[in-house]
């Protein structure tokens, strides 16, 4: 259990983390989602007592991290940047960690085996690939067999096999009743792993709900319509009570009616359709809409996608990011003057 | 107490599993001994008795410590700054969130190692140096003040390591720490200590003051300076510098984000 209450971190005039209040519960994988620069890593460092909060409070299992006598047996963390000295072998890195918390030495070999690094245990991490470094970090997190685990961007640098492995590992750890808190800037990754979501943007809490609720609330469904007679179609559908918004490439998106209803409406007036297809906006899109106004490093409209994340896999990724619109409700009708 | 033991053993594991420990301390030993013995030979064979000034055979055998201390400074700086440059400080503080305990354990282990190496270096320097000086010039370990000077030379090296660690905790990066410490002790201190009037102040610099412990006699007017302290007073001044550096380092570690 990790409890944050009004947690705030300011650097001068910049507020990196802004009054965050939420609880990370055991038994499920909690995804910590936000664009780059949203304050995820800062929040995690404050949980670990590495950064001092400007105000607010954070407790792990009811105590401040700094009060823990054997913290590695309570909380295991993979922090974003590599935290290993390149000249000390993987085995010795884990050994000093184990000794500092009174963890038996045989546990070092166990976790090395668990993450698949037994072969390179006596090698220096300076020669490790990004993925091997990530595995060593995960081994360090698991060393004390802790009930709380935090992973900051764990899939960074991992190959597909490694990504698959870490997904299963996190699910397994949660199934064992542990608290698993994992950050990512990729919604698509979280959708496959997390049961619960905490979304932040510019340091502020945007959502704290189950993955299912997030999908229901944020994933817009609509019917895509393409026609050579947009004006007629607009008249017909508006008269039929269907709300239309402009899509990319001259398509129209109809909300509030299913494909059958729309088909029957336009057939009655003989409007020609080139396309009529039900669409479900991807979670990536929902996430981008939610965080759009809080993205710190935004690419100029017209480029492929907002800086800091990969283009979402949805069909509409070419659409420029909605910069100024309020999150969640892009009201295109104003632009159309209807 | 159990926790202190664990953290000490952890820091000991850290220090003995990187190569920089070995090469910096090996260099400390080699530079001090080789240069010290060289100087002793130089004085014995090339410098006539009337040009030797105030001659202290014990102090002369530590003539290499001015270079050797640079290597022990590297050791002190690297022990601390490698935590920051590698990002390992986050793992260290995650494992030992009590920062005072962490810093204290690291200081005890590193200064302890430096003291052991320093003492070996001092005794080897002394005995080889006296051998090089020959029976006419040399001192024996039993003479008044000699044993104190030899042990003092080892302590001096350990204190240099401690001072460097304090500065490194304060400045965090190896470049900054070396940038302050190496020029100070390699050039500035030495130059200031021979400039008239300035030397009255410069004699209180840590290395100048600490060096007094390495002379068997009361250094008195050694090096042309009318020193305001004896061997123990000088050592005390150096200890105060070390305490100040460590306190400043601790204040930084305690208050700043890792």
């Amino acid at each position: 259990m990790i409890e944050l209450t009004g947690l705030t971190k300011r650097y001068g005039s910049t507020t990196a983390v802004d009054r965050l209040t939420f609880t990370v519960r055991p038994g499920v994988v909690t995804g910590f989602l936000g664009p780059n620069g949203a304050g995820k890593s800062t929040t995690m460092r404050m949980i670990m007592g590495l950064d001092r909060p400007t105000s607010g409070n954070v407790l792990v299992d009811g105590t401040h991290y700094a009060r823990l006598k054997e913290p590695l047996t309570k909380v295991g963390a993979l922090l974003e940047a590599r935290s290993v000295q390149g000249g000390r072998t993987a085995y010795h890195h884990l050994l000093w960690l184990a000794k500092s918390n009174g963890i038996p030495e045989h546990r070092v070999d166990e976790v090395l085996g668990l993450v698949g690094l037994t072969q390179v245990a006596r090698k220096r991490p300076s020669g490790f690939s990004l993925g091997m470094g990530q595995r060593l970090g995960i081994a360090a997190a698991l060393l004390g067999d802790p009930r709380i685990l935090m992973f900051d961007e764990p899939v960074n640098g991992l190959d597909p096999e490694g990504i698959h492995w870490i997904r299963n590992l996190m699910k397994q750890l949660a199934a064992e009743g542990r608290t698993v808190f994992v950050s990512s800037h990729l919604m698509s990754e979280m959708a496959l792993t997390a049961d619960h979501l905490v979304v932040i943007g510019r340091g502020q809490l945007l959502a704290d709900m189950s993955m299912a609720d997030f999908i229901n609330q944020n994933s817009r469904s609509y019917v895509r319509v393409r026609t050579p007679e947009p004006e007629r179609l607009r008249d017909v559908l508006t008269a039929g009570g269907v709300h239309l918004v402009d899509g990319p490439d001259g398509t129209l998106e109809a909300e509030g009616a299913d494909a059958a209803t729309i088909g029957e409406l336009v057939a009655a007036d003989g409007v020609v359709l080139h396309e009529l297809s039900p669409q479900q906006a991807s979670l990536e899109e929902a996430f981008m809409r939610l965080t759009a106004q809080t993205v710190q490093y935004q690419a100029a409209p017209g480029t492929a996608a907002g800086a800091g994340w990969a283009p979402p896999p949805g069909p509409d990724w070419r659409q420029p990011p909605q910069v100024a619109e309020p999150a969640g409700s892009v009201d295109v009708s104003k632009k159309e003057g209807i | 107490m159990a926790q202190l033991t664990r953290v000490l053993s952890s820091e000991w594991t850290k220090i003995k599993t990187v190569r920089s420990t070995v090469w910096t301390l090996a260099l400390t030993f080699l530079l001090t001994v080789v240069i010290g013995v060289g100087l002793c030979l130089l004085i014995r064979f090339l410098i006539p008795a009337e040009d030797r000034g105030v001659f202290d055979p014990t102090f002369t055998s530590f003539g290499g410590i001015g270079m050797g201390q640079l290597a022990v400074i590297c050791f002190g700086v690297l022990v601390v700054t490698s935590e920051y440059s590698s990002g390992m400080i986050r793992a260290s503080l995650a494992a030992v969130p009590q920062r005072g305990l962490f810093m204290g354990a690291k200081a005890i282990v590193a200064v302890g190692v430096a003291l052991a190496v320093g003492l070996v270096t001092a005794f080897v320097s002394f005995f080889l140096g006296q051998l090089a000086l020959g029976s006419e010039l040399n001192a024996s370990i039993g003479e008044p003040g000699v044993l104190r000077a030899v042990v003092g030379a080892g302590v001096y090296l350990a204190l240099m390591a401690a001072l460097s660690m304090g500065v490194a905790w304060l400045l965090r990066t190896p470049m900054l720490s070396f940038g302050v410490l190496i020029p100070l002790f390699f050039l500035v201190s030495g130059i200031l200590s021979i400039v008239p009037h300035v030397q009255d102040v410069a004699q209180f610099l840590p290395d100048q003051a600490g060096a007094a412990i390495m002379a068997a006699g009361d250094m008195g007017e050694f090096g042309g300076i009318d020193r305001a302290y004896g061997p123990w007073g000088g050592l005390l001044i150096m200890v105060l510098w070390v305490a100040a550096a460590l306190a400043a380092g601790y204040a930084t570690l305690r208050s700043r984000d890792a």
Side-chain angles (χ1 to χ4, degrees):
Chain A
M1 183 101 101
I2 308 171
E3 296 157 279
L4 289 76
T5 335
L7 196 66
T8 302
K9 179 72 181 179
R10 282 193 206 92
Y11 299 102
S13 59
T14 325
T15 303
V17 175
D18 194 0
R19 287 162 292 160
L20 279 188
T21 300
F22 62 87
T23 301
V24 187
R25 293 190 169 77
V28 292
V29 176
T30 301
F32 191 29
L33 204 59
N36 286 344
K40 303 187 296 292
S41 296
T42 307
T43 303
M44 285 185 152
R45 284 201 304 270
M46 285 194 284
I47 295 172
M48 305 284 295
L50 295 174
D51 287 11
R52 195 179 293 260
T54 309
S55 63
N57 201 9
V58 56
L59 298 175
V60 284
D61 273 346
T63 340
H64 285 112
Y65 190 93
R67 296 252 172 83
L68 297 173
K69 289 272 183 272
E70 293 165 2
L72 298 185
T73 63
K74 303 281 192 305
V75 184
L78 167 75
L79 296 165
E80 187 178 28
R82 237 192 236 192
S83 36
V84 175
Q85 200 177 341
R88 184 180 289 109
T89 66
Y91 179 85
H92 283 131
H93 174 68
L94 295 173
L95 184 63
W96 75 254
L97 277 171
K99 290 199 167 175
S100 68
N101 276 243
I103 298 162
E105 213 169 314
H106 65 80
R107 183 69 191 151
V108 171
D109 293 312
E110 277 175 35
V111 292
L112 280 167
L114 205 60
V115 301
L117 288 181
T118 306
Q119 299 292 320
V120 294
R122 301 286 173 176
K123 295 250 162 48
R124 292 167 210 283
S126 51
F128 281 12
S129 68
L130 201 55
M132 285 158 82
Q134 210 67 333
R135 282 168 186 265
L136 180 55
I138 290 163
L142 297 174
L143 191 62
D145 197 20
R147 300 298 296 169
I148 299 175
L149 286 134
M150 296 204 299
F151 300 100
D152 198 357
E153 305 275 0
V155 301
N156 271 3
L158 290 181
D159 52 18
E161 189 268 327
I163 292 174
H164 184 71
W165 168 74
I166 184 114
R167 266 185 213 141
N168 287 338
L169 175 72
M170 288 189 291
K171 286 179 183 169
Q172 184 201 328
L173 292 166
E176 290 165 6
R178 297 174 210 257
T179 304
V180 182
F181 190 43
V182 49
S183 81
S184 177
H185 60 278
L186 294 174
M187 183 69 214
S188 49
E189 179 54 38
M190 284 294 95
L192 293 167
T193 325
D195 311 294
H196 193 91
L197 271 189
V198 173
V199 185
I200 65 168
R202 287 244 169 114
Q204 290 177 333
L205 190 67
L206 298 177
D208 176 9
M209 59 182 76
S210 73
M211 182 60 86
D213 286 347
F214 183 83
I215 293 171
N216 286 337
Q217 287 185 21
N218 290 290
S219 181
R220 185 174 70 114
S221 57
Y222 59 93
V223 179
R224 185 157 72 201
V225 197
R226 199 188 294 269
T227 173
E229 309 168 276
E231 291 312 315
R232 278 192 65 207
L233 179 80
R234 204 180 286 280
D235 293 342
V236 168
L237 289 186
T238 310
V242 179
H243 182 62
L244 267 186
V245 298
D246 278 353
D249 297 336
T251 62
L252 292 165
E253 295 172 357
E255 288 169 338
D258 61 9
T261 314
I262 291 166
E264 282 158 20
L265 274 171
V266 298
D269 278 88
V271 179
V272 175
L273 286 189
H274 290 168
E275 182 182 354
L276 176 68
S277 58
Q279 302 284 331
Q280 176 96 20
S282 71
L283 281 177
E284 198 73 50
E285 258 186 289
F287 167 57
M288 285 184 72
R289 253 206 320 278
L290 185 65
T291 57
Q293 64 175 1
T294 67
V295 174
Q296 197 168 10
Y297 310 104
Q298 180 92 54
T303 57
W309 52 41
D316 300 324
W317 64 271
R318 272 178 234 89
Q319 207 171 11
Q322 307 284 345
V323 187
E325 299 295 335
S329 62
V330 182
D331 187 0
V332 185
S333 60
K334 266 187 275 174
K335 290 178 190 164
E336 296 305 308
I338 41 174
Chain B
M1 198 58 213
Q3 203 190 359
L4 176 64
T5 315
R6 285 202 298 261
V7 181
L8 283 173
S9 121
S10 167
E11 287 300 325
W12 171 239
T13 306
K14 274 187 194 172
I15 215 165
K16 69 180 181 186
T17 52
V18 282
R19 280 181 289 199
S20 64
T21 304
V22 176
W23 69 255
T24 49
L25 293 177
L27 214 56
T28 304
F29 175 84
L30 284 175
L31 285 171
T32 308
V33 171
V34 169
I35 295 174
V37 170
L39 279 172
C40 289
L41 289 172
L42 203 70
I43 283 176
R44 176 179 176 185
F45 292 113
L46 295 178
I47 300 181
E50 59 272 23
D51 292 345
R52 283 177 194 143
V54 183
F55 179 69
D56 184 326
T58 310
F59 190 76
T60 303
S61 62
F62 297 132
I65 231 162
M67 290 300 285
Q69 70 182 0
L70 301 182
V72 93
I73 287 169
C74 287
F75 166 74
V77 166
L78 287 178
V79 161
V80 175
T81 58
S82 63
E83 292 261 356
Y84 286 97
S85 52
S86 64
M88 194 173 78
I89 186 72
R90 284 185 292 270
S92 294
L93 291 177
V96 187
Q98 298 81 8
R99 296 187 180 192
L101 175 68
F102 166 56
M103 183 181 166
K106 191 182 271 301
I108 290 171
V109 169
V111 175
V113 169
L115 180 63
V117 172
L119 286 172
V120 171
T121 304
F123 276 96
V124 172
S125 283
F126 173 77
F127 285 115
L128 289 183
Q130 300 316 307
L131 214 61
L133 281 172
S135 53
E136 281 180 30
L137 293 175
N138 68 8
S140 87
I141 193 83
E143 288 171 29
V146 171
L147 184 61
R148 185 258 302 148
V150 177
V151 172
V155 172
Y156 174 90
L157 285 172
L159 286 174
M160 263 305 174
L163 182 78
S164 314
M165 288 180 77
V167 171
W169 284 116
L170 183 67
L171 300 175
R172 294 184 168 203
T173 72
M175 279 308 125
L176 266 180
S177 310
F178 287 134
V180 168
L181 291 166
I182 299 290
L184 175 63
F185 293 125
F186 186 54
L187 290 173
V188 179
S189 166
I191 291 168
L192 294 183
S193 68
I194 53 169
V195 178
H197 303 299
V198 176
Q199 63 185 203
D200 297 342
V201 181
Q203 62 171 318
F204 293 104
L205 285 170
D207 58 331
Q208 296 294 326
I213 196 79
M214 293 187 268
D218 187 351
M219 278 192 19
E221 288 155 29
F222 190 84
I225 312 171
D226 187 12
R227 287 182 191 262
Y229 46 77
W232 294 110
L235 191 72
L236 179 68
I237 292 167
M238 188 181 189
V239 167
L240 291 176
W241 277 100
V242 169
L246 288 173
Y250 176 63
T252 310
L253 175 68
R254 202 186 53 176
S255 60
R256 281 179 58 178
D257 291 338

